[in-house]
Amino acid sequence: MKSNRSSCSGRLRGSTRLALPGVLVAAVLMLAACGGGDGNPSSAVASAMQQANANANPQTNAQPQAANQPYNDPIPYSTSANDGLPAAQVAEKAAVMHYQWTSGKTRINYTTTTGHLTASDAQGNPEATMSYVAYTAPSTNGKPRPVTFVYNGGPGSSSIWLRLGSFAPTRVATPDPLLTNWPNYPLVNNTESLIDTTDMVFIDPPGTGLSEAILPNTNRVFWGSDPDVDVMRDFIIRYLAANNRGTSPIYLYGESYGTPRTDMLALALETAGVHLTGIVLQSSILNYFADAIEATAITLNTLGLQLDTDTLAGYFPGYAAVAAYYKQASPAPLDPGLYALQTELFATSQYNLFRRYAQTWVLSQLGIPDALGTPVFPSPLVLQLWRFPSGLTLQALNGYFNENPFNTSLIPGTTIGRYDGRVSLPNSDPRLQTDSDPSDILISQPFTTALATQLPDYLGYTAPNATYVPLNDSIIEIWDFSHDGQPLPDTLPDLLGALTLNPQLKVLAENGYHDLATPFFTTEKELARLQSVHGLNPNLQVNFFPGGHMIYLDDTARPKMKADLVDYYQGQPIPFALSLRTLPAPWHDESPAGTPTATAQATTTQ
């Protein structure tokens, strides 16, 4: 893999208010919780996973530095919207366990710490008791090790998906993008762990995992863009103080909704005097207005459609990459990066023509193509003319431009995944009756099953009076997305604010070619808005991998991600990554980075 960096990590570039029908309410639930779902593990599967965990448990080769300290947490945590924990019951306690990680000839003794810390506001008032898992190792050079705070998105997701799938010392070995042996995926030693590079702290926001508000606050107090950022900031400040990590290089790593959270959180921390070394944005949705599917489903009105053409064009290269996986590209691409460039150039060249179909296209993805009138689609002649420049077959083009969502139209009789378009199931598969996304099915039950054995056996933590909640569907239903005076977050102004306060801040944006939830081309276009800021020269790198939303599940992508992340942490340039100046220019209807989208749109239309 390391010898084939050009085909996996980047692309060779030169400097180059009308109310909608009530049916849209259902779309909110369909689009909720990027980054994974939950399930109900059977006892048989739990037994199998426990045995797999025992076989792969690094403790068998460990040379413990200190005695293990399991913890039986008696507190009855609740993740219900209107619940909060009395302050008298709050305890900052944790299980502490010691292991050894191996990768080749590298051996590192590390510690897991699993428990709760209290986030308090600037006046010292407790806000929430937040569950976390930290993986730490001793310094080998006398300098403080970096510490990276890691979280998923949703909103409403715990950090289980990143913790069990990405760069912790152990992981669930998925066969992504296949469902072979589902749901019996083993827990294994993770040879691509970042424990040799950085300490990691995986955080569960209030109402997820075992995190709960502290009275008089209730969980729902923190279910919104701004209060969520505040409580996450206060947790990080508490962790740094409690563990004497104020001199460590500090990083943030967010996935999916965790990326707008990261932009806002970076600004909040810098403003509070906590200076960051870097942030990682994986599978980004940095501006909700630029995804008109999400925006329309959330706002339930035409405000979400204001960047509908940007959305249609932004999804197209990701869809084309998925189509190529199913052999619906002609000729077959020789390199995924070059093909991505071809389809980006096609979408850009056809942008003005796409405008005719954009509103219908967005509403088709929501299952209501005629919600605002007669649907408008390209004619057969137009589709024929697009075959050569797009590199797609007629079947693939028809699958994108029709009245049905493209996830059921690309391959007849088949549903492809939203999180990873390469994961598919026949429409007759009974699992689709309860979860319409095959790529969510791939991980939801296996990860939840693994957690059931990993918490007590490996992390040494039990909570007999509470239930860990991987994904809280109640949160997305009432989440307040408003931010910066807008109904939805556009966080490029936040990112710019953080870069202004800390010009040395390193920014890395990681993208999966086959991600149909947060398309890579849209991320490029949003970050390119920083080009409008005179004199700004940020340390920004953008890289690309084969894979979906959870890129690290792919056995080809994960080693490349690890190699790129090591370069990033060491301050080295990532081979073939794009910089701010080599990103494609932003769409003309987008506002500059320092101006929120809705504000700019309102000014334009007045």
Side-chain angles (χ1 to χ4, degrees), residues 548-591:
H549 196 65
M550 302 170 73
I551 312 166
Y552 43 80
L553 297 181
D554 187 289
D555 287 342
T556 300
R558 190 176 55 261
K560 269 302 286 107
M561 291 185 78
K562 166 66 184 284
D564 286 0
L565 283 164
V566 170
D567 285 341
Y568 167 73
Y569 277 94
Q570 293 178 348
Q572 301 297 319
I574 295 172
F576 305 108
L578 301 185
S579 68
L580 177 60
R581 299 305 165 191
T582 56
L583 286 171
W587 300 120
H588 293 304
D589 60 351
E590 284 270 33
S591 60

Side-chain angles (χ1 to χ4, degrees), residues 44-320:
V45 171
S47 177
M49 290 300 298
Q50 187 170 10
Q51 182 60 47
N53 186 39
N55 293 339
N57 197 332
Q59 188 179 17
T60 58
N61 295 319
Q63 299 295 324
Q65 297 170 297
N68 288 333
Q69 302 172 44
Y71 177 55
N72 183 39
D73 190 343
I75 299 176
Y77 302 104
S78 170
T79 56
S80 297
N82 297 317
D83 285 349
L85 194 67
Q89 294 187 36
V90 175
E92 289 192 327
K93 294 183 178 181
V96 180
M97 307 290 282
H98 304 279
Y99 298 105
Q100 187 176 85
W101 173 78
T102 61
S103 181
K105 295 182 180 180
T106 302
R107 295 178 180 272
I108 293 179
N109 293 323
Y110 71 94
T111 299
T112 69
T113 305
T114 307
H116 286 75
L117 286 175
T118 299
S120 300
D121 63 21
Q123 290 72 44
N125 301 309
E127 298 167 308
T129 176
M130 294 174 62
S131 56
Y132 71 99
V133 178
Y135 300 86
T136 58
S139 172
T140 58
N141 59 9
K143 298 179 181 179
R145 278 169 53 90
V147 57
T148 303
F149 295 94
V150 190
Y151 36 81
N152 279 89
S157 179
S158 70
S159 61
I160 177 182
W161 318 106
L162 276 162
R163 188 169 65 77
L164 292 183
S166 63
F167 302 111
T170 60
R171 67 178 180 87
V172 177
T174 71
D176 180 59
L178 306 177
L179 286 107
T180 308
N181 295 326
W182 183 92
N184 300 316
Y185 306 152
L187 276 162
V188 299
N189 177 65
N190 185 6
T191 56
E192 287 83 44
S193 176
L194 283 171
I195 194 63
D196 59 347
T197 303
T198 179
D199 294 341
M200 292 164 280
V201 183
F202 293 82
I203 312 171
D204 300 324
T208 73
L210 292 169
S211 294
E212 184 175 6
I214 298 173
L215 294 172
N217 300 300
T218 59
N219 288 321
R220 69 185 304 150
V221 166
F222 302 106
W223 293 355
S225 300
D226 293 338
D228 168 80
V229 165
D230 290 344
V231 77
M232 294 287 282
R233 173 200 62 204
D234 296 339
F235 171 86
I236 290 172
I237 290 173
R238 176 57 186 153
Y239 182 91
L240 294 172
N243 293 278
N244 299 312
R245 300 303 298 267
T247 60
S248 295
I250 303 168
Y251 291 81
L252 306 178
Y253 191 120
E255 175 183 291
S256 196
Y257 179 80
T259 60
R261 174 187 279 149
T262 294
D263 282 354
M264 295 182 283
L265 183 54
L267 179 57
L269 286 166
E270 293 287 349
T271 302
V274 178
H275 298 302
L276 303 173
T277 301
I279 61 175
V280 182
L281 307 170
Q282 188 213 297
S283 307
S284 298
I285 179 166
L286 305 178
N287 176 11
Y288 267 74
F289 291 99
D291 189 328
I293 302 171
E294 289 272 4
T296 304
I298 293 168
T299 61
L300 304 181
N301 57 54
T302 55
L303 176 65
L305 291 169
Q306 62 187 28
L307 298 180
D308 51 6
T309 309
D310 298 3
T311 305
L312 187 160
Y315 271 78
F316 188 86
Y319 172 85

Side-chain angles (χ1 to χ4, degrees), residues 263 286-287 484 486 490-500 525-534 536 538 580 586-587 590-597 600:
D263 282 354
L286 305 178
N287 176 11
D484 203 13
Q486 305 180 87
D490 171 11
T491 64
L492 262 295
D494 300 89
L495 178 57
L496 176 59
L499 289 167
T500 302
K525 288 290 192 177
E526 287 305 305
L527 289 171
R529 291 166 59 196
L530 293 169
Q531 296 172 353
S532 65
V533 183
H534 179 71
L536 183 68
L580 177 60
W587 300 120
E590 284 270 33
S591 60
T595 306
T597 293

Side-chain angles (χ1 to χ4, degrees), residues 246-521:
T247 60
S248 295
I250 303 168
Y251 291 81
L252 306 178
Y253 191 120
E255 175 183 291
S256 196
Y257 179 80
T259 60
R261 174 187 279 149
T262 294
D263 282 354
M264 295 182 283
L265 183 54
L267 179 57
L269 286 166
E270 293 287 349
T271 302
V274 178
H275 298 302
L276 303 173
T277 301
I279 61 175
V280 182
L281 307 170
Q282 188 213 297
S283 307
S284 298
I285 179 166
L286 305 178
N287 176 11
Y288 267 74
F289 291 99
D291 189 328
I293 302 171
E294 289 272 4
T296 304
I298 293 168
T299 61
L300 304 181
N301 57 54
T302 55
L303 176 65
L305 291 169
Q306 62 187 28
L307 298 180
D308 51 6
T309 309
D310 298 3
T311 305
L312 187 160
Y315 271 78
F316 188 86
Y319 172 85
V322 172
Y325 174 80
Y326 292 106
K327 305 187 185 307
Q328 291 299 316
S330 180
L334 298 177
D335 179 273
L338 292 177
Y339 185 59
L341 178 58
Q342 175 187 345
T343 55
E344 288 184 5
L345 292 173
F346 168 75
T348 302
S349 69
Q350 299 301 312
Y351 181 90
N352 290 333
L353 189 54
F354 280 177
R355 193 186 303 274
R356 303 179 188 178
Y357 318 115
Q359 188 176 91
T360 293
W361 184 85
V362 170
L363 297 175
S364 294
Q365 305 315 307
L366 294 169
I368 47 171
D370 57 352
L372 295 178
T374 303
V376 181
F377 295 105
S379 68
L381 176 59
V382 168
L383 294 180
Q384 284 284 359
L385 292 174
W386 281 347
R387 288 181 60 186
F388 177 74
S390 71
L392 288 178
T393 65
L394 188 60
Q395 176 180 322
L397 288 168
N398 274 312
Y400 198 66
F401 294 98
N402 76 94
E403 63 183 8
N404 298 308
F406 59 67
N407 69 309
T408 58
S409 300
L410 174 60
I411 308 298
T414 299
T415 297
I416 65 173
R418 176 171 175 256
Y419 295 130
D420 188 338
R422 303 171 304 165
V423 184
S424 65
L425 285 172
N427 293 341
S428 59
D429 193 295
R431 289 171 288 188
L432 292 172
Q433 296 177 8
T434 55
D435 189 335
S436 61
D437 185 350
S439 53
D440 188 45
I441 294 171
L442 172 75
I443 60 166
S444 58
Q445 184 174 328
F447 274 50
T448 307
T449 301
L451 179 73
T453 59
Q454 194 196 53
L455 273 174
D457 296 346
Y458 168 59
L459 298 177
Y461 179 89
T462 53
N465 298 316
T467 300
Y468 188 97
V469 177
L471 180 69
N472 189 343
D473 290 327
S474 299
I475 293 179
I476 190 69
E477 295 175 17
I478 64 175
W479 187 267
D480 180 2
F481 281 91
S482 63
H483 173 63
D484 203 13
Q486 305 180 87
L488 297 170
D490 171 11
T491 64
L492 262 295
D494 300 89
L495 178 57
L496 176 59
L499 289 167
T500 302
L501 290 173
N502 181 3
Q504 303 305 312
L505 182 68
K506 299 187 297 184
V507 181
L508 173 61
E510 303 173 308
N511 305 269
Y513 285 124
H514 306 96
D515 180 359
L516 297 179
T518 56
F520 65 87
F521 190 32

